Amino acid sequence: MNEIDEKEYLQAIQKESAFWDHFNEDAVAHGIPHWLDLRKATPLNREIWSPFDDPKYEEILRGDIKQTYLKLAMEKKGKALDVGCGLGWLALELARNGIDVLALDISQKSLQIAREYYQKEKPPGKIDYQWADLNHLSLPTNEFDLIVVWDVLHHIANLKGLFSEIRSALKPDGRFLIFDHKGMEEKNLRFYRIFHYFVPAAPSMYFNKIRFWLENFGLLRRRRKEEATPTKPVIADAPFEHHSEKDILPLLQHYFPGIHLQTHLCFSMHLAHFHRLPKFGEYFFLRLLKRLDDWLIRRGYLTGEYFLALYPPPHKFGVRS
Ligand SMILES: C[S@@+](CC[C@H](N)C(=O)[O-])C[C@H]1O[C@@H](n2cnc3c(N)ncnc32)[C@H](O)[C@@H]1O
């Protein structure tokens, strides 16, 4: 770990696992999050609102990507590794298709919730949930037919160590599948900053926008941050959130030469987080926005904030690239 020293690291990683313990315990107290069970997910009614507490948002924005990802994963039989499983939706889907999975995560509470849910669901494949720090991982050589990672790599400080373990643990004819965040490009942000004014919004958004402009022109006193959202408790992000985002793609290409990459979601995830659609027609507008997003990427006007990667590269990749 070159960027931070070991003592600092230990403190940060404890906070990271505490964050995920708390995040996932709180989620399951309010329903079935889609990151526990994709098929039986229910909306979560939490005080701190996130668009992805609504499984419909996930389905509209990333449902097609998940289907492609799962299809590519299910083509492999044998033994799988889920790297950073969280509550384990992905391991569960694999096990439902008869695949045995070793599922690793740093959050003990998440592993415990996932394990209990798996025991209730009894899928045909076996899942072995184990605690592991992916920054100090040691895996057996030539062990896995399939290695999957969904939305975890941008939290990892030692990507080089992790990738070299994955490369040696993957069987010679094995498959490595990744979905992760690569960051929002400046061009996308410029597009978003103008475009979002044309997207229908919930009334509260219009109040906020008017207030923002009045504050900017000095016609209204600028509020302090805590005044702006007085009722919402503040929860800091996980300490390693976005930590290694910019390094993922160059390192993946180095450790897995020829890896196939495809980007997704150039503005709509950002919009889902920062913009509230009106309740009436919400899903209709979201679908339209997702179509526009796909189109902008397909035509090469923008690249996605997220990517899906497949190694070894396929002769035919079953989706648009
Ligand atoms: C955004 S969540 C994704 C979880 C899961 N893959 C999913 O799709 O729901 C990121 C996960 O990475 C795990 N994580 C973060 N840093 C880790 C580390 N150093 N070692 C193991 N797991 C880690 C967290 O505990 C969390 O469960």
Side-chain angles (χ1 to χ4, degrees):
M1 215 142 320
N2 34 16
E3 290 146 48
I4 46 179
D5 77 36
E6 201 60 22
K7 189 163 162 248
E8 249 180 81
Y9 173 75
L10 283 175
Q11 285 172 352
I13 202 70
Q14 272 166 13
K15 282 194 189 151
E16 179 83 18
S17 78
F19 172 90
W20 292 106
D21 282 355
H22 170 78
F23 180 84
N24 283 327
E25 267 195 317
D26 190 61
V28 292
H30 294 92
I32 302 180
H34 59 77
W35 56 100
L36 171 65
D37 187 343
L38 196 59
R39 301 184 190 193
K40 298 183 182 170
T42 60
L44 310 181
N45 192 10
R46 295 201 269 195
E47 191 184 344
I48 301 180
W49 179 87
S50 152
F52 296 95
D53 283 357
D54 179 353
K56 198 90 187 150
Y57 262 67
E58 177 70 0
E59 185 204 313
I60 294 171
L61 294 178
R62 300 202 290 194
D64 57 337
I65 307 167
K66 280 192 164 161
Q67 289 316 318
T68 301
Y69 189 100
L70 287 172
K71 185 172 162 285
L72 290 165
M74 304 308 175
E75 283 168 7
K76 294 304 282 185
K77 292 283 165 254
K79 192 167 176 190
L81 171 69
D82 183 358
V83 179
C85 62
L87 290 185
W89 72 272
L90 180 51
L92 184 64
E93 284 307 307
L94 298 178
R96 280 175 171 153
N97 278 274
I99 299 172
D100 292 339
V101 190
L102 171 63
L104 305 176
D105 204 279
I106 198 142
S107 157
Q108 291 280 21
K109 293 231 166 91
S110 307
L111 289 167
Q112 188 188 328
I113 297 165
R115 200 177 287 120
E116 282 166 13
Y117 194 79
Y118 156 76
Q119 281 158 359
K120 261 199 333 216
E121 285 296 303
K122 297 189 181 62
K126 287 197 183 65
I127 309 180
D128 178 10
Y129 297 95
Q130 281 187 24
W131 183 93
D133 179 357
L134 301 175
N135 290 310
H136 295 102
L137 195 60
S138 172
L139 293 169
T141 314
N142 284 351
E143 178 75 3
F144 299 100
D145 303 277
L146 173 68
I147 300 185
V148 291
V149 47
W150 183 280
D151 215 9
V152 175
L153 295 177
H154 62 281
H155 291 266
I156 301 306
N158 180 17
L159 278 177
K160 289 181 184 166
L162 178 62
F163 288 161
S164 99
E165 282 299 307
I166 290 179
R167 198 176 54 184
S168 74
L170 195 64
K171 286 185 180 168
D173 61 345
R175 181 172 286 186
F176 180 30
L177 263 173
I178 307 114
F179 177 80
D180 224 293
H181 199 235
K182 73 171 191 52
M184 184 92 166
E185 284 173 20
E186 193 47 47
K187 193 174 165 192
N188 301 32
L189 276 173
R190 280 202 301 273
F191 166 81
Y192 175 78
R193 281 185 197 123
I194 297 169
F195 174 73
H196 82 277
Y197 282 104
F198 300 97
V199 178
S204 60
M205 288 288 310
Y206 290 108
F207 291 128
N208 284 342
K209 280 176 194 180
I210 291 167
R211 179 173 261 283
F212 171 82
W213 284 112
L214 291 175
E215 284 176 358
N216 260 317
F217 286 112
L219 299 170
L220 204 64
R221 181 178 66 85
R222 216 178 264 279
R223 287 174 302 172
R224 293 198 310 272
K225 252 194 177 155
E226 57 276 25
E227 278 180 283
T229 50
T231 55
K232 283 193 177 176
V234 176
I235 292 192
D237 255 351
F240 286 97
E241 187 68 62
H242 303 299
H243 183 86
S244 50
E245 209 164 71
K246 296 281 171 258
D247 301 329
I248 303 175
L249 288 183
L251 286 174
L252 266 181
Q253 280 157 331
H254 174 77
Y255 282 87
F256 302 92
I259 192 166
H260 184 97
L261 293 170
Q262 186 181 75
T263 74
H264 291 275
L265 300 162
C266 60
F267 75 88
S268 53
M269 286 294 272
H270 192 82
L271 184 130
H273 278 105
F274 295 104
H275 184 96
R276 285 232 187 167
L277 292 166
K279 267 284 153 233
F280 182 76
E282 182 180 16
Y283 298 138
F284 169 78
F285 289 125
L286 195 63
R287 280 204 178 83
L288 276 184
L289 291 165
K290 165 73 165 129
R291 283 185 168 219
L292 173 64
D293 194 310
D294 286 345
W295 182 82
L296 287 167
I297 294 177
R298 210 164 48 241
R299 296 301 298 258
Y301 296 131
L302 292 176
T303 54
E305 196 190 340
Y306 291 80
F307 70 91
L308 192 155
L310 173 64
Y311 181 83
H315 298 301
K316 276 191 204 152
F317 203 167
V319 281
R320 297 180 300 261
S321 56

